[in-house]
Amino acid sequence: MKKNTELKETLGSVREIISDSSFDNPTYLGIAYFIRDLFFFSVTMFLLWNVETWYYLPFLWVFAGLSIASLFIIGHDACHGALFKSERLSYWIGQISMLPSLHAYNQWGYGHNRVHHGHTIKLKSDFVWHPVTPEQYKNFGIFRKAFHRLSWSAFGGGIYYLIEIWLKGMVLFTAPMKEALRDKLLMLTFAFGSAAAVFYFGGNTPNGYDLGLGTWFFLKVWLLPFISWNYFIGITVYVHHIRPEVPWKDANEWTPFYGQMRGTVNYHVPKLLNFFMHNIFIHSPHHVHMKIPFYKLGQALEEIKVHYGPYVVERKSIWKDYIESTSKCKLMDPGTGKWMTYSEAFNDEDESEPELETAAT
């Protein structure tokens, strides 16, 4: 065993200790997980279409969000080249798996694989939950300030992801590659087509079309499951990379080792949640090497911990951490990288609240 004093703080040195077996990805296993997750998604959608008992619906919306997340993680691993050796198989299973979450395969891969993984928690580079400085916040208008306060609150995980990641990154932005535009058009066709189908068939009755019923089916079967999914993914990505004691760094101080090892948090979650979330909360190994399939992340983490245990961030309570981080991590000091609350950032100038109040009056 290497001594800690001999460890090199480089990403390459961490990758060297991961065994070949942690990369094993037999085709049958990836297909089996895909079929399993597609089955649970289909069952959940079937139940949502047919169930009207009000106290069952919230549970079904939660499971709809989870089943969409399960398929998305299949697509996520396929896009990383972790799930299958065949690029063609990865594309088609990945594309199908990402459609329920309304993500375009190559469009998403451009931002996630190249930018987020290439520059994890690097200031001015990583776009996922990127911090705002007090000076930037002071220059926001009233509506942008209000959105920042909402999206960085405990209620904002899904809202942030829906607007900042999905709408801006998946719909309004088009990656500079022909595959991205093709996949985005496919995703948008699926989005509008599925929404229209639910609205139309949901409102059909023996006595003609019922507009109110069609609207209800659109909300029940299409929109609310999509919102549920956004909250699951938004909160998941947040707890992966935002902690009060983990500052983001600028390009001069940032290293791949710091971003992938210190900038990723690992959680050991209940089995039921992990059944749907496919080890996504064991996050450091995935950032160390993107080609480790999700079902081998636990093994890879234990291998990393043998030599790099002091560098691995492991936590036990997602919800406790999420509440703590969303209460403390609002703005970031550009000089120190320290997370601050609004009151800590403006304790001398008292800028934030008066501007909101003045603009409101």
Side-chain angles (χ1 to χ4, degrees):
M1 180 184 297
K2 297 179 183 178
K3 296 181 180 179
N4 288 343
T5 55
E6 299 173 350
L7 294 176
K8 295 180 181 179
E9 293 188 12
T10 66
L11 192 59
S13 65
V14 184
R15 288 176 171 174
E16 286 176 0
I17 64 175
I18 301 175
S19 67
D20 290 343
S21 65
S22 287
F23 296 91
D24 289 344
N25 58 350
T27 299
Y28 78 88
L29 197 53
I31 293 176
Y33 273 111
F34 168 65
I35 293 173
R36 186 202 78 170
D37 293 342
L38 192 61
F39 169 77
F40 280 106
F41 171 73
S42 301
V43 169
T44 305
M45 291 298 105
F46 174 82
L47 291 174
L48 274 174
W49 188 274
N50 290 282
V51 170
E52 289 294 341
T53 306
W54 68 268
Y55 48 82
Y56 289 151
L57 289 176
F59 294 100
L60 288 175
W61 289 323
V62 168
F63 280 107
L66 283 170
S67 64
I68 293 171
S70 294
L71 283 169
F72 174 82
I73 296 167
I74 296 293
H76 165 278
D77 269 34
C79 195
H80 279 305
L83 207 56
F84 304 107
K85 296 177 178 65
S86 166
E87 289 187 11
R88 182 178 295 239
L89 186 62
S90 294
Y91 174 78
W92 283 110
I93 287 187
Q95 184 74 265
I96 294 169
S97 297
M98 284 191 167
L99 285 178
S101 62
L102 304 187
H103 279 57
Y105 185 79
N106 280 295
Q107 168 82 356
W108 173 84
Y110 178 87
H112 182 83
N113 294 9
R114 299 189 189 187
V115 182
H116 174 58
H117 272 270
H119 306 277
T120 307
I121 72 167
K122 183 196 292 184
L123 290 168
K124 299 180 181 179
S125 297
D126 189 359
F127 63 95
V128 179
W129 288 102
H130 194 283
V132 169
T133 68
E135 190 63 32
Q136 289 172 324
Y137 178 83
K138 283 164 59 177
N139 292 326
F140 287 169
I142 182 174
F143 294 111
R144 194 169 179 187
K145 283 182 178 178
F147 176 75
H148 189 274
R149 285 176 174 269
L150 174 61
S151 60
W152 284 80
S153 74
F155 300 100
I159 296 170
Y160 179 95
Y161 191 90
L162 178 65
I163 302 299
E164 296 292 338
I165 307 300
W166 182 76
L167 180 62
K168 292 183 178 180
M170 193 60 48
V171 178
L172 300 181
F173 171 76
T174 301
M177 49 193 300
K178 62 181 181 180
E179 296 88 350
L181 178 59
R182 175 199 64 198
D183 291 352
K184 185 164 81 167
L185 292 175
L186 177 61
M187 179 272 291
L188 291 174
T189 301
F190 176 84
F192 286 110
S194 60
V198 169
F199 182 75
Y200 175 76
F201 290 107
N204 264 335
T205 71
N207 298 320
Y209 188 78
D210 185 326
L211 180 61
L213 187 61
T215 302
W216 166 238
F217 266 77
F218 169 75
L219 293 172
K220 182 179 73 160
V221 180
W222 196 93
L223 184 60
L224 289 174
F226 181 64
I227 292 174
S228 173
W229 137 257
N230 275 273
Y231 268 92
F232 275 111
I233 189 63
I235 292 172
T236 296
V237 175
Y238 182 94
V239 298
H240 281 165
H241 303 295
I242 306 296
R243 284 290 302 155
E245 66 272 18
V246 180
W248 287 43
K249 293 185 179 293
D250 61 28
N252 295 327
E253 297 180 313
W254 183 90
T255 65
F257 179 90
Y258 178 81
Q260 315 308 350
M261 289 293 290
R262 302 301 296 171
T264 54
V265 182
N266 303 278
Y267 287 92
H268 300 282
V269 301
K271 290 183 179 179
L272 178 61
L273 179 60
N274 200 49
F275 177 86
F276 289 98
M277 299 303 283
H278 293 318
N279 286 335
I280 198 171
F281 290 105
I282 301 177
H283 208 53
S284 292
H286 172 63
H287 270 260
V288 167
H289 205 301
M290 294 182 287
K291 289 190 179 295
I292 301 173
F294 65 81
Y295 46 81
K296 289 298 185 77
L297 291 175
Q299 174 182 322
L301 180 64
E302 293 306 312
E303 293 172 350
I304 291 171
K305 285 166 61 178
V306 169
H307 299 299
Y308 286 89
Y311 298 92
V312 174
V313 182
E314 289 188 277
R315 306 286 299 179
K316 293 182 179 180
S317 175
I318 290 175
W319 294 111
K320 182 180 178 181
D321 281 7
Y322 180 67
I323 297 300
E324 179 191 12
S325 296
T326 53
S327 66
K328 294 181 178 179
C329 303
K330 303 294 188 181
L331 304 169
M332 181 165 283
D333 186 323
T336 65
K338 178 184 175 182
W339 284 102
M340 299 178 288
T341 64
Y342 297 112
S343 60
E344 288 171 339
F346 302 113
N347 58 353
D348 293 326
E349 303 174 43
D350 197 25
E351 283 283 351
S352 57
E353 290 295 346
E355 283 193 15
L356 286 172
E357 292 172 2
T358 301
T361 56

